[in-house]
Amino acid sequence: IVDSHGLMLALQGDLERAGGAVAFGSPVVGGEGQVLRVGGAEPASLEAGLVVNCAGLAAQAVAASLGAAQIPTRHLAKGSYFSLAGRAPFTRLIYPVPEPGGLGVHLTLDLAGQARFGPDVQWVQRDDDFQVDPRRADAFYAAIRRYWPALPDGALQPAYAGIRPKLGGPGEAAADFMIERRGGLLNLFGIESPGLTAALAIGEYVVASVA
């Protein structure tokens, strides 16, 4: 269990100490070859020796804007979480048998010991809807009680939701991450769960592939 925002700040610090820079609010809006057009408050163009497209939900859109020819279809799986009112009687994470499209409704604990359950799998079209539908709680109670029958009624509260960029859609076999290089552009598609857990390993793989 890690503080994900603390991890990202630490990685940013490592990058900047190594001479790199992070340009927030500067979206890639297009390009040609290895010349990128950047938008935001100060639009500009910049030339790169190598472009690594690791834009998550927007990876396909960025690749298309840079002229990539073969782009895999993006499928969106929304995953909602519900938090537990009160303290959980568990000290470890609990993972049930995975379900099609996801890991199943598992128990996770944050750094303060607060319990949350999720994510479920809801195939969606939009990548900007992060509202948790309280009506999904019924399915959560049923799933959680398979491994915690004593879960009290009314103990779940809507917490938060995320959206995973999948390369396989409903009814299709689960697809692995796709990391491919074409000339000066290296694309990372379908980096979903466990993308954060595997972030450092993915980075090492990318570095080795361009060395």
Side-chain angles (χ1 to χ4, degrees), residues 7 103 164-165 177 188 190-203:
L7 172 63
L103 295 175
R164 290 157 282 181
F177 304 156
L188 283 71
I191 308 296
E192 47 147 339
S193 178
L196 178 61
T197 304
L200 298 181
I202 293 172

Side-chain angles (χ1 to χ4, degrees), residues 77 117 153 200:
F117 298 92
D153 290 335
L200 298 181

Side-chain angles (χ1 to χ4, degrees), residues 78-152:
K78 180 177 179 179
S80 295
Y81 281 85
F82 282 78
S83 61
L84 178 69
R87 192 164 186 85
F90 306 105
T91 58
R92 289 176 169 80
L93 310 186
I94 298 176
Y95 282 82
V97 174
E99 62 182 59
L103 295 175
V105 176
H106 63 269
L107 164 68
T108 184
L109 302 169
D110 63 19
L111 295 175
Q114 175 68 40
R116 295 183 178 86
F117 298 92
D120 60 353
V121 177
Q122 179 185 3
W123 298 102
V124 296
Q125 298 298 319
R126 292 174 51 187
D127 61 9
D128 60 351
D129 178 12
F130 298 100
Q131 298 297 315
V132 177
D133 184 351
R135 295 172 295 182
R136 302 187 73 80
D138 290 342
F140 273 71
Y141 280 106
I144 296 165
R145 283 173 175 153
R146 293 173 187 163
Y147 56 86
W148 185 23
L151 172 66

Side-chain angles (χ1 to χ4, degrees), residues 6 11 29 51 56 69 76 79 98 122 178 185 189 211:
L11 293 175
V29 296
V51 176
L76 302 176
Q122 179 185 3
M178 180 181 293
L185 174 62
F189 297 119

